[in-house]
Amino acid sequence: MSKSSRVTKRTYYIVHFKLASPLCISSGTGDIADNDLMLDGEGKPFIPGTSIAGAFRNSLMDKKNKSSVMGFSKVSKSSETEDESEQIGRMSQILISDVSLVKKSSDSVNISIRDGIKLEDNEKITAGTGKFDMQVVEPGAEGCMRFEIVERENDDETDANEKIKGFIIDLAEGNIRLGAKKNRGFGKLKVTEVGEKEFDLTQKDQAEKWLEFLGFNASSDDEGFPALECTRYEEWKVGKEKYKDSYVKVKYAKIRVPLKLKGGISIRKYSTRPGEADYEQLTIKEDEDGNKRIPVVPGSSWNGAIRSDAARILRDSLGCKDYKEVINDWFGTVDKEDKDRTQQSKIVISESKIIGATELPMTRVKINRFDSSAVAGALYSEISFFGGETELEVLVRVDKGEDYKAIMGLIYLVIKDIMNGFVPIGGQTAVGRGIFTGSEINEFGDLEVNDCLASLKKYLEGRTK
């Protein structure tokens, strides 16, 4: 006799959030940029439920052919012949809705185009045909995630609620991100409110309240979903940190470093519109807190500088013979010819906002280096930002073993170079742009620096010249 599939309980969660960094979920088309955003039927950006489900399953490290609250499917062979095999599995206990992105303070969300380049391995040189661009939803856009958990009699998995709570907390802390380029600063959310409501359908009064909740004599929210009372995230999470530690398998050690910009910075965004500067420092129109026109250092810019300096330290200071393999293993690499050699980065670098910077328009002219005369038609204008403070945030994935401590040790050495002004960020570094300084590291996981440096030394045993 088959197991009973009677529904015994339904639990609903709603998670209100704002984008704390750009979001890129590609539609697979390239009509406007190389990667266009996914849009709904009204031309508005949204987050498909499949993207959220993928991030959730990945955080649990559940395989698709193994029992999971997210369901599973596999082929079971009942005999030696292929004809007698059968597909077995179970549907997901968790139902996830698409998320519409809105901007309550304006008519529409801000969409912009970000430029990117691919650099040669461990060198600050643009690879051939390495220029690309992508559409992104800028920070400040708002959305609501909705989860429904369906529990049935004789379910094999009974901890779906606890896992969802752990997932929400990790989303809020930035350990789980959505969309593309999430290891380089994109897809970070700021969770503002959370609501949850449970109905025990084995009880008649609860079943009646559930029917009312679904829409029978009940109110609905702005998008037509059943209204759910919410509380501030800081209040909701009290006492729930244990769920993140118990159920979310992907862990990160966080490094936070306050920095000051010494001089200006030049991470360029170009324009061809009449009356606008030829290029300007990359900015966001508005952040999740409502601040306007803020210069930023994208995670990709931080990554390029940190990766290059890490390679130099391994090669020149520590004498590592196979430093390129180490860098590719830790920072990630893409091998189009051999997909088995493609490696996801173990390091997540966030986008940094520069607060308190001064905007300065400039008109410049290109000079002939041979006779010091102005080059014909070479007058151009730019908008730069000078001064201000920022914070570098790096997450290092905590895997089994001691490798992550060695990575932390190497990142520490790079950070000391950045704090001393030896590693400039962005362009025009030959004329003093992109230099940051600092005096302390606010957070270094739960580790001691000396232990991490010792782990790095041990890791490199047998790899030095």
Side-chain angles (χ1 to χ4, degrees):
M1 182 179 294
S2 61
K3 291 183 179 180
S4 171
S5 60
R6 177 192 176 197
V7 176
T8 57
K9 186 184 295 184
R10 289 181 184 267
T11 309
Y12 297 84
Y13 290 86
I14 184 170
V15 181
H16 292 267
F17 67 87
K18 293 183 179 181
L19 291 184
S21 71
L23 174 71
C24 178
I25 297 182
S26 176
S27 65
T29 60
D31 296 329
I32 300 173
D34 292 318
N35 288 315
D36 292 348
L37 281 171
M38 184 174 288
L39 306 176
D40 63 17
E42 297 180 354
K44 298 177 181 178
F46 74 103
I47 304 173
T50 51
S51 292
I52 302 170
F56 182 37
R57 184 186 284 272
N58 183 66
S59 72
L60 300 175
M61 299 182 71
D62 287 349
K63 296 181 180 180
K64 292 183 178 180
N65 61 350
K66 301 292 183 181
S67 180
S68 168
V69 297
M70 297 297 292
F72 74 98
S73 176
K74 66 180 180 179
V75 175
S76 175
K77 293 184 179 180
S78 56
S79 70
E80 298 294 330
T81 62
E82 188 70 23
D83 293 338
E84 296 185 28
S85 62
E86 61 177 343
Q87 190 87 12
I88 63 172
R90 177 170 50 80
M91 67 182 296
S92 174
Q93 292 177 241
I94 303 173
L95 309 179
I96 304 174
S97 301
D98 293 343
V99 177
S100 298
L101 295 175
V102 298
K103 192 70 178 295
K104 295 180 181 179
S105 60
S106 61
D107 293 335
S108 61
V109 300
N110 294 322
I111 296 177
S112 63
I113 295 180
R114 287 284 185 100
D115 293 315
I117 57 172
K118 182 179 184 299
L119 299 179
E120 296 288 356
D121 283 348
N122 312 323
E123 302 292 343
K124 201 172 181 181
I125 301 172
T126 306
T129 66
K131 169 72 171 63
F132 63 92
D133 55 15
M134 69 191 81
Q135 273 191 313
V136 301
V137 182
E138 289 201 358
E142 301 167 66
C144 297
M145 287 185 188
R146 295 178 175 85
F147 303 92
E148 179 183 356
I149 299 177
V150 182
E151 297 183 46
R152 301 174 185 273
E153 285 183 340
N154 301 313
D155 269 338
D156 295 330
E157 304 287 339
T158 59
D159 53 3
N161 278 285
E162 289 80 3
K163 289 181 177 179
I164 282 289
K165 290 171 183 175
F167 177 68
I168 293 172
I169 294 173
D170 253 12
L171 273 176
E173 294 183 357
N175 294 332
I176 296 175
R177 308 185 183 205
L178 303 177
K181 297 285 181 181
K182 49 183 170 283
N183 286 339
R184 298 299 173 253
F186 283 19
K188 184 178 181 180
L189 309 183
K190 178 182 179 180
V191 176
T192 55
E193 292 183 319
V194 180
E196 61 177 288
K197 195 170 186 65
E198 179 182 292
F199 298 95
D200 183 353
L201 301 184
T202 62
Q203 305 296 321
K204 182 179 178 181
D205 61 329
Q206 288 283 300
E208 291 174 350
K209 290 180 179 180
W210 172 64
L211 292 175
E212 291 180 2
F213 173 76
L214 287 183
F216 298 92
N217 303 319
S219 59
S220 60
D221 61 19
D222 295 338
E223 298 181 51
F225 289 90
L228 193 61
E229 184 178 349
C230 296
T231 58
R232 292 176 60 250
Y233 168 72
E234 288 75 14
E235 298 173 5
W236 174 86
K237 75 172 182 178
V238 174
K240 297 183 174 68
E241 289 84 353
K242 59 182 180 180
Y243 297 128
K244 181 193 71 170
D245 295 334
S246 300
Y247 292 98
V248 179
K249 299 298 189 294
V250 181
K251 309 291 185 182
Y252 289 93
K254 181 184 291 185
I255 304 172
R256 292 190 305 111
V257 186
L259 298 168
K260 292 183 178 181
L261 176 60
K262 185 178 181 181
I265 189 165
S266 180
I267 300 173
R268 296 180 178 181
K269 178 175 68 174
Y270 294 89
S271 174
T272 58
R273 296 178 180 177
E276 293 187 359
D278 295 296
Y279 61 85
E280 61 179 79
Q281 161 64 29
L282 180 65
T283 60
I284 54 175
K285 295 179 182 179
E286 181 180 350
D287 70 1
E288 70 277 13
D289 298 318
N291 300 308
K292 308 288 185 180
R293 192 167 165 75
I294 305 171
V296 294
V297 181
S300 56
S301 294
W302 281 122
N303 175 69
I306 292 173
R307 180 174 182 143
S308 177
D309 193 56
R312 181 196 61 78
I313 291 172
L314 286 175
R315 181 187 65 232
D316 299 337
S317 301
L318 301 178
C320 180
K321 294 180 291 185
D322 54 352
Y323 71 94
K324 288 187 177 181
E325 286 75 10
V326 174
I327 289 295
N328 288 340
D329 181 42
W330 289 356
F331 285 83
T333 185
V334 175
D335 193 322
K336 294 182 179 180
E337 297 181 358
D338 185 359
K339 292 184 178 180
D340 291 337
R341 296 185 59 187
T342 295
Q343 175 68 44
Q344 185 181 28
S345 176
K346 298 177 181 178
I347 301 167
V348 178
I349 305 177
S350 297
E351 180 163 293
S352 301
K353 296 183 290 187
I354 303 176
I355 305 300
T358 301
E359 183 174 341
L360 181 61
M362 294 181 176
T363 300
R364 304 177 63 185
V365 63
K366 184 178 180 181
I367 301 298
N368 189 313
R369 61 177 177 169
F370 296 107
D371 60 11
S372 298
S373 62
V375 176
L379 187 68
Y380 62 95
S381 60
E382 67 169 306
I383 298 176
S384 300
F385 286 81
F386 289 78
E389 300 180 352
T390 191
E391 182 178 78
L392 170 61
E393 181 183 280
V394 180
L395 304 178
V396 178
R397 182 163 175 167
V398 178
D399 292 312
K400 294 180 180 179
E402 298 293 309
D403 280 9
Y404 83 97
K405 292 184 179 180
I407 299 174
M408 295 279 282
L410 180 61
I411 295 296
Y412 171 79
L413 297 177
V414 175
I415 287 174
K416 294 299 289 184
D417 279 351
I418 293 174
M419 293 169 65
N420 289 318
F422 298 146
V423 182
I425 311 298
Q428 300 193 76
T429 56
V431 293
R433 300 288 177 87
I435 295 176
F436 290 88
T437 59
S439 58
E440 60 182 354
I441 298 175
N442 278 355
E443 187 174 350
F444 197 74
D446 297 323
L447 304 173
E448 295 292 333
V449 169
N450 289 336
D451 290 342
C452 294
L453 294 175
S455 294
L456 176 60
K457 181 179 179 181
K458 182 178 179 180
Y459 180 87
L460 294 176
E461 289 179 358
R463 295 174 178 266
T464 56
K465 299 175 183 178

